[in-house]
Amino acid sequence: MTSAATELFLASGGDDNTLILWNLPRILKLNALSYACSLVQNYLQTNTKLEQSDRSLCQS
């Protein structure tokens, strides 16, 4: 892994000994709603237990 002196990272660790390095400038520029919708898009379209109105939560 390489990094420039100008980059800012946050390190977090868990009980499972996993270490995650977070790129803070990238996270701060992230559009949280768009990112979250991209993660649940398939779920919203394919889950048979959802109401039809729930399927359009992330549609613009």
Side-chain angles (χ1 to χ4, degrees):
M1 173 177 47
T2 62
S3 67
T6 58
E7 293 183 297
L8 299 173
F9 290 93
L10 171 68
S12 64
D15 292 336
D16 62 354
N17 294 323
T18 300
L19 175 68
I20 300 173
L21 294 176
W22 303 91
N23 181 330
L24 292 181
R26 182 177 178 198
I27 291 171
L28 294 174
K29 292 178 186 175
L30 184 68
N31 180 324
L33 183 58
S34 293
Y35 180 70
C37 282
S38 71
L39 294 175
V40 299
Q41 183 177 17
N42 187 51
Y43 170 82
L44 291 174
Q45 297 307 312
T46 59
N47 188 321
T48 58
K49 296 181 180 181
L50 291 177
E51 299 289 330
Q52 186 61 36
S53 60
D54 293 336
R55 296 183 191 285
S56 63
L57 287 173
C58 289
Q59 294 176 354
S60 46

